[in-house]
């Protein structure tokens, strides 16, 4: 069964460093998402991406964050200068565009990357 | 804006007992509703979803949920829990907008702890 994969599973970085979290969405999916979960808190939406551009972003997704689909398979989240409060589990998800008229596309989640900022 | 409330942060229950995890939502438009389960150190797995039609939806692992539009609720139930059901359960909502790419808004989660 196809699945979303994420690398690395755990990333430790120093405050102020840049990190890139990588995701490989399911191959025929066209919508991609990043969510994060700070330890003990709820899962929060960061950004959605479609047709090579951001379709929606949350207040959390400020100028320190960027997303990219550098090739036909990867989807990345970059944090330019990490802060202590960026420590969280980051989940990538993807969904298939079933039809233009469809308003529902199930999101499939990856296992997450735990980011620890020291 | 959509929001989700899970009033119970923790629910302890004995094995083979029934359980209900509560979820209330608010939205100004029609919504889709979901329950996800997160086992320790794992990602999110979809338990069940309500899109339209029958208000009682059945999911994996014997779970079911009932959509109540008048009470804006989507409570999750299982008639008899097993020790392996111990996990964090998240209720989520997505607004029914055409075109896809609908973000999920999650509740704060309910930790279900099944005891022997």
């Amino acid at each position: 069964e196809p699945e979303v994969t994420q690398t690395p599973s755990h990333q430790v970085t120093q405050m102020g460093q840049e990190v890139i979290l990588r995701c490989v969405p399911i191959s025929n999916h066209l919508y991609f998402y990043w969510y994060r979960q700070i330890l003990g808190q709820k899962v929060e939406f960061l950004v959605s991406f479609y047709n090579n551009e951001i379709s929606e972003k949350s207040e959390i997704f400020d100028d320190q964050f960027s997303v990219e689909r550098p090739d036909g398979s990867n989807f990345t989240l970059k944090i330019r200068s990490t802060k202590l409060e960026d420590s969280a589990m980051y989940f990538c998800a993807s969904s298939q565009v079933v039809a233009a008229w469809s308003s529902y596309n199930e999101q499939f989640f990856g296992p997450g990357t735990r980011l620890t900022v020291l | 804006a959509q929001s989700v409330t899970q009033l119970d942060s923790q629910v302890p229950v004995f094995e083979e007992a029934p359980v209900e995890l509560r979820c209330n939502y608010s939205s100004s438009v029609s919504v889709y509703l979901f329950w996800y389960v997160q086992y320790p150190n794992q990602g999110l797995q979809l338990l069940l979803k309500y899109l339209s039609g029958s208000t009682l939806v059945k999911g994996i692992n014997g779970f079911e949920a009932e959509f109540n539009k008048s009470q804006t609720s989507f409570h999750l139930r299982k008639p008899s829990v097993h020790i392996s059901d111990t996990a964090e359960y998240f209720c989520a909502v997505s607004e029914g907008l055409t075109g896809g790419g609908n973000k999920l808004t999650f509740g704060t989660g309910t930790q279900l702890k099944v005891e022997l």
Side-chain angles (χ1 to χ4, degrees):
Chain A
E1 186 174 332
E3 58 183 17
V4 176
T5 59
Q6 291 184 243
T7 54
S9 57
H10 192 187
Q11 172 100 41
V12 181
T13 189
Q14 295 291 324
M15 190 169 54
Q17 294 296 305
E18 175 183 285
V19 294
I20 298 176
L21 309 183
R22 291 183 167 79
C23 168
V24 179
I26 295 173
S27 62
N28 63 343
H29 286 188
L30 297 177
Y31 265 102
F32 314 115
Y33 314 80
W34 283 102
Y35 293 82
R36 79 171 185 190
Q37 183 183 29
I38 295 172
L39 187 64
Q41 299 185 25
K42 65 179 178 180
V43 178
E44 301 173 289
F45 168 78
L46 290 178
V47 65
S48 59
F49 189 87
Y50 173 70
N51 200 25
N52 281 320
E53 60 182 25
I54 291 173
S55 53
E56 187 175 3
K57 61 181 181 179
S58 72
E59 294 173 352
I60 303 167
F61 194 87
D62 61 22
D63 292 344
Q64 291 297 315
F65 292 90
S66 62
V67 289
E68 190 179 28
R69 188 153 163 82
D71 52 42
S73 59
N74 288 284
F75 179 52
T76 62
L77 174 69
K78 182 194 291 187
I79 309 175
R80 267 180 265 283
S81 178
T82 50
K83 302 188 275 287
L84 295 176
E85 53 264 38
D86 294 326
S87 294
M89 180 74 91
Y90 288 81
F91 292 106
C92 173
S94 68
S95 65
Q96 181 185 33
V97 180
V98 177
W101 51 264
S102 173
S103 57
Y104 171 67
N105 297 291
E106 179 177 344
Q107 294 181 32
F108 293 81
F109 284 80
T113 292
R114 180 164 296 285
L115 176 65
T116 301
V117 182
L118 302 176
Chain B
Q2 57 202 30
S3 67
V4 177
T5 302
Q6 291 181 250
L7 288 173
D8 306 306
S9 59
Q10 291 188 18
V11 173
V13 62
F14 288 108
E15 194 172 34
E16 298 184 5
V19 71
E20 179 179 82
L21 306 183
R22 296 181 293 169
C23 172
N24 289 88
Y25 70 93
S26 67
S27 176
S28 56
V29 300
S30 61
V31 295
Y32 302 131
L33 295 156
F34 310 85
W35 276 98
Y36 284 84
V37 60
Q38 184 181 32
Y39 298 103
N41 300 314
Q42 294 188 28
L44 298 164
Q45 181 182 5
L46 181 65
L47 264 183
L48 48 77
K49 58 184 181 284
Y50 171 78
L51 305 181
S52 64
S54 173
T55 57
L56 183 64
V57 292
K58 294 187 184 297
I60 61 173
N61 301 340
F63 283 93
E64 63 181 33
E66 185 154 20
F67 170 59
N68 188 319
K69 188 174 182 180
S70 62
Q71 297 187 5
T72 60
S73 67
F74 190 56
H75 301 331
L76 180 71
R77 296 192 291 258
K78 187 170 182 178
S80 176
V81 296
H82 189 267
I83 198 83
S84 60
D85 293 323
T86 294
E88 186 92 18
Y89 292 79
F90 291 95
C91 182
V93 63
S94 173
E95 291 185 338
L97 303 172
T98 56
N102 306 325
K103 70 177 183 184
L104 290 168
T105 297
F106 287 85
T108 49
T110 297
Q111 177 67 43
L112 176 64
K113 186 173 182 181
V114 181
E115 301 167 352
L116 295 172

